């Protein structure tokens, strides 16, 4: 349920179904039908909703247990592909593999595993040719849109998730790239025996046939759930006829549109007209009874084979340090804090190297300003006549060095979404990332501030003693770090 002021609105109602290992579910619905809400709930992104009734089982694990200790087993991917644009494809996947590296109890040759796994991902998803190309984004030219989608798939595979949820994943792709993308999902699901849930708008017939099951949603209500081969026959039994030249996905999406659908002759008065009518007929149908029987059989099987216990034991064995620290078993992260710090520092260094021209421009910009302002206040008199001007120089130096730190705002805003995604995949703790960014910013900031201070201090003719110069430098550097830390 969603909160709006003091009122609450029911977003989803009477949703039931089972997605087994190695199966792909296609969720269809018009914009605003509730597909994204459903996928967020299935992806265990629940914090934005006031209350969620009913139950979701991830192979015997509850949503609360997954969020607390096994977060990385359920992966949700939104419409946009969120990556650091200055990293190459190889660096992006290498970081994901390193962060989810199993413990030495399960893996002896970790370096060999990393190299082999990375090469496998690049070959499996056709990324070997662009492995050393930056990922890019809307402002920085990199790989193509289809390749960027496949990078997202490969990164999610490297995370080791058992349940993959993809929301509006083909947005911005042409029909050929969208088909290649869904084929990649099909390969991943079949090879790794994952449970995959995907929502796609305007799916072609070739894309539709790659799925095992389909779910039709409208106004937050379930209109159908079952095999893709039986969806058309079910709605035709209700009196809705599929046009010959219309794709199955478009037909299922528009069954509630009175101006678009065709009625089977003789069903003019009996065909459902609203989402409530479709839901009522679905609940009364034998197809719904079959689905509920599958749900009951799945719950019974989970209890009999103790699947949840097996998942817990397997994931706990992959965690570093779990054999000597019981607290590590309850942690959602596979790696330890020191290990995360090392990997994040390596990545932050690579990000800075990718932005080296921006850093060089910012440094040159500050040095030129220092020279200009130093020329304006050149060799101020040491008498009281220069007291006011000296305070102006000191104020400008402190103000300029701190305001320059606002250049971090763009990188902070764009990188925040990447951090949210990778946190949900349990790659690293956000606190470690904040510490790494603070440490990594110290060296370039210190070099820039030191050169800026040297030029301005000498040009303005401030006190020529080492102690006062280093005090000047310390205040400027501290102010720059404080403003940088805000972002």
């Amino acid at each position: 349920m969603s909160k709006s002021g003091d009122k609450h609105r029911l977003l989803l109602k009477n949703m039931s179904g089972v997605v087994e290992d190695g199966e792909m579910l296609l969720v269809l619905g018009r914009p605003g039908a509730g597909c994204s809400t459903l996928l967020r709930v299935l992806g265990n992104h629940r914090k934005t909703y006031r209350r969620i009734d009913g139950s979701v089982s991830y192979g015997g694990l509850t949503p609360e247990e997954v969020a607390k200790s096994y977060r990385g087993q359920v992966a949700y991917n939104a419409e946009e592909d969120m990556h650091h644009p200055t990293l190459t494809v190889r660096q992006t996947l290498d970081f994901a593999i390193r962060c989810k590296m199993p413990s030495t109890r399960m893996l002896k040759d970790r370096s060999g595993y990393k190299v082999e796994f990375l090469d496998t991902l690049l070959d499996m998803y056709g990324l070997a040719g662009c492995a050393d190309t930056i990922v890019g984004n809307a402002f920085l030219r990199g790989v193509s849109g289809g390749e960027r989608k496949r990078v997202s798939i490969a990164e999610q595979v490297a995370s080791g998730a058992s349940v993959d949820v993809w929301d509006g994943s083909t947005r911005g792709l042409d029909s050929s790239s969208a088909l290649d993308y869904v084929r990649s999902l099909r390969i991943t699901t079949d090879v790794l025996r994952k449970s995959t849930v995907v929502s796609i708008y305007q799916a072609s017939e070739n894309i539709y046939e790659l799925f095992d099951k389909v779910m039709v949603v409208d106004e937050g209500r379930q209109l159908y759930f079952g095999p893709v081969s039986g969806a058309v026959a079910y709605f035709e039994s209700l009196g809705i006829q599929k046009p010959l030249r219309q794709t199955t996905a478009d037909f299922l999406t528009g069954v509630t549109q009175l101006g678009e659908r065709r009625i089977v002759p003789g069903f003019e008065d009996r065909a459902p007209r609203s989402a409530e009518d479709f839901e009522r007929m679905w609940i009364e149908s034998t197809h719904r009874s079959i689905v509920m029987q599958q749900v009951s059989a799945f719950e019974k099987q989970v209890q009999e084979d103790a699947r949840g216990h097996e998942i817990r034991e397997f994931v706990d064995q992959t965690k570093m340090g779990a054999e000597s620290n019981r607290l590590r078993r309850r942690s959602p992260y596979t790696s330890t804090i020191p290990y995360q710090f090392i990997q994040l520092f390596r990545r932050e260094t690579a990000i800075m190297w990718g932005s080296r021209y921006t850093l060089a421009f910012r440094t040159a910009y500050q040095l030129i300003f220092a020279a200009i302002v130093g020329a304006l206040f050149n060799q101020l008199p040491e008498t009281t006549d220069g007291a006011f001007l000296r305070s102006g120089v000191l104020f400008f130096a402190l103000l300029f060095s701190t305001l320059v730190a606002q250049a971090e705002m763009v990188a902070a805003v764009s990188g925040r979404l990447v951090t949210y995604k990778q946190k949900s995949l349990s790659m690293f703790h956000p606190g470690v990332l904040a510490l790494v960014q603070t440490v990594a910013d110290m060296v370039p900031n210190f070099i820039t501030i030191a050169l800026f201070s040297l030029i301005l201090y000498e040009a303005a003719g401030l006190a020529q003693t080492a102690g006062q110069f280093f005090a000047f430098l310390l205040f400027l550097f501290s102010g720059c770090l404080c403003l940088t830390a805000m972002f």
Side-chain angles (χ1 to χ4, degrees):
M1 300 180 72
S2 178
K3 182 177 180 180
S4 178
D6 294 332
K7 298 182 180 180
H8 304 91
R9 186 163 63 93
L10 191 64
L11 298 180
L12 299 176
K13 182 180 180 182
N14 296 329
M15 299 288 177
S16 300
V18 176
V19 183
E20 297 281 357
D21 300 339
E23 286 187 345
M24 291 180 62
L25 170 66
L26 174 63
V27 180
L28 293 176
R30 298 179 294 112
C35 296
S36 294
T37 302
L38 174 63
L39 265 62
R40 287 182 64 85
V41 173
L42 295 180
N44 212 28
H45 284 234
R46 299 171 161 236
K47 294 182 178 180
T48 55
Y49 306 109
R50 182 176 179 85
R51 191 177 79 248
I52 299 177
D53 299 329
S55 62
V56 179
S57 176
Y58 303 100
L61 300 178
T62 63
E64 295 75 19
E65 193 174 8
V66 169
K68 183 178 180 181
S69 302
Y70 304 99
R71 187 191 307 151
Q73 293 301 305
V74 180
Y76 171 82
N77 196 292
E79 293 182 1
E80 300 293 337
D81 295 299
M82 295 169 289
H83 303 282
H84 288 288
T86 58
L87 292 180
T88 65
V89 173
R90 187 185 303 277
Q91 290 171 331
T92 300
L93 299 182
D94 179 75
F95 175 76
I97 294 173
R98 288 177 181 274
C99 286
K100 303 295 288 189
M101 190 83 74
S103 65
T104 54
R105 289 188 300 170
M106 298 187 62
L107 195 64
K108 299 300 181 182
D109 186 11
R110 303 179 69 184
S111 59
Y113 165 82
K114 190 267 298 181
V115 173
E116 185 175 353
F117 194 11
L118 178 59
D119 292 340
T120 301
L121 290 178
L122 293 175
D123 293 337
M124 181 184 297
Y125 298 108
L127 298 171
C130 61
D132 297 316
T133 305
I134 61 173
V135 177
N137 57 14
F139 306 100
L140 185 63
R141 184 177 180 181
V143 297
S144 65
E147 290 170 336
R148 195 174 297 122
K149 289 289 183 183
R150 296 200 294 273
V151 171
S152 298
I153 300 176
E155 183 184 41
Q156 203 147 302
V157 171
S159 70
S162 301
V163 178
D164 288 341
V165 180
W166 303 86
D167 186 6
S169 49
T170 58
R171 177 184 176 184
L173 297 181
D174 56 65
S175 58
S176 177
S177 299
L179 179 59
D180 291 339
Y181 169 74
V182 178
R183 282 174 176 167
S184 300
L185 290 181
R186 180 76 263 179
I187 293 173
T188 302
T189 303
D190 292 340
V191 173
L192 302 178
R193 305 301 296 171
K194 290 173 174 282
S195 298
T196 305
V197 183
V198 185
S199 68
I200 297 178
Y201 297 112
Q202 298 180 335
S204 66
E205 197 66 26
N206 291 331
I207 291 177
Y208 179 82
E209 293 174 353
L210 290 173
F211 289 86
D212 302 296
K213 296 179 179 179
V214 62
M215 181 177 181
V216 183
V217 180
D218 191 62
E219 297 181 6
R221 304 171 185 271
Q222 187 178 46
L223 311 188
Y224 174 81
F225 183 96
V228 294
S229 58
V232 174
Y234 168 76
F235 284 103
E236 287 183 343
S237 68
L238 301 182
I240 313 298
Q241 186 178 19
K242 177 182 176 297
L244 293 178
R245 295 182 178 273
Q246 190 178 33
T247 63
T248 304
D250 288 343
F251 166 71
L252 297 178
T253 304
V255 290
T256 58
Q257 299 300 300
L258 301 181
E260 299 179 5
R261 65 182 189 175
R262 294 183 182 180
I263 305 299
V264 177
F267 281 82
E268 289 79 6
D269 298 329
R270 290 182 292 166
R273 302 179 60 83
S274 64
E276 292 85 351
D277 296 337
F278 277 99
E279 181 190 33
R280 177 176 50 81
M281 292 187 170
W282 164 248
I283 293 176
E284 296 173 354
S285 68
T286 57
H287 296 78
R288 168 68 186 278
S289 301
I290 295 174
V291 172
M292 299 310 296
Q293 291 175 6
Q294 293 175 348
V295 172
S296 301
F298 172 79
E299 293 176 345
K300 183 179 179 180
Q301 182 181 0
V302 167
Q303 294 178 355
E304 290 179 351
D305 58 17
R307 188 181 306 179
H309 178 71
E310 294 180 1
I311 295 176
R312 296 183 190 94
E313 289 294 326
F314 175 78
V315 176
D316 289 344
Q317 289 180 5
T318 64
K319 295 179 180 179
M320 300 179 186
E323 65 276 8
S324 59
N325 189 348
R326 296 181 62 86
L327 292 177
R328 288 287 302 129
R329 298 183 182 182
R330 295 196 294 267
S331 172
Y333 303 105
T334 303
S335 55
T336 60
I337 296 298
Y339 183 85
Q340 293 177 22
F341 183 91
I342 295 173
Q343 302 308 321
L344 284 169
F345 190 83
R346 292 181 55 179
R347 188 188 69 171
E348 202 66 25
T349 303
I351 292 175
M352 286 186 174
W353 178 251
S355 305
R356 57 189 180 277
Y357 299 115
T358 302
L359 292 175
F361 174 80
R362 190 171 69 180
T363 302
Y365 171 80
Q366 290 185 256
L367 297 183
I368 292 173
F369 256 85
I372 294 175
V373 176
L376 292 176
F377 295 92
N378 186 32
Q379 298 301 320
L380 297 174
E382 298 183 0
T383 62
T384 55
D385 294 337
F388 181 78
L389 295 177
R390 290 175 186 275
S391 63
V393 172
L394 297 177
F395 175 76
F396 168 80
L398 182 60
L399 178 66
F400 185 78
S401 61
T402 53
L403 292 182
V404 166
Q406 291 187 359
E408 298 288 335
M409 185 181 298
V410 177
V413 173
S414 60
R416 189 167 298 170
L417 296 177
V418 182
T419 302
Y420 289 156
K421 181 189 74 170
Q422 295 181 340
K423 176 191 173 185
S424 67
L425 296 176
S426 297
M427 290 188 179
F428 55 82
H429 194 287
V432 181
L433 176 62
L435 178 61
V436 166
Q437 289 178 334
T438 301
V439 174
D441 286 337
M442 284 185 177
V443 175
N445 284 342
F446 180 80
I447 294 175
T448 303
I449 294 298
L451 295 175
F452 175 85
S453 301
L454 184 62
I455 295 175
L456 182 60
Y457 195 92
E458 292 299 325
L462 299 179
Q464 300 297 304
T465 61
Q468 290 174 302
F469 171 75
F470 284 112
F472 178 78
L473 176 61
L474 176 62
F475 277 104
L476 296 191
F477 182 60
S478 300
C480 181
L481 284 184
C482 290
L483 264 293
T484 302
M486 288 183 62
F487 308 110

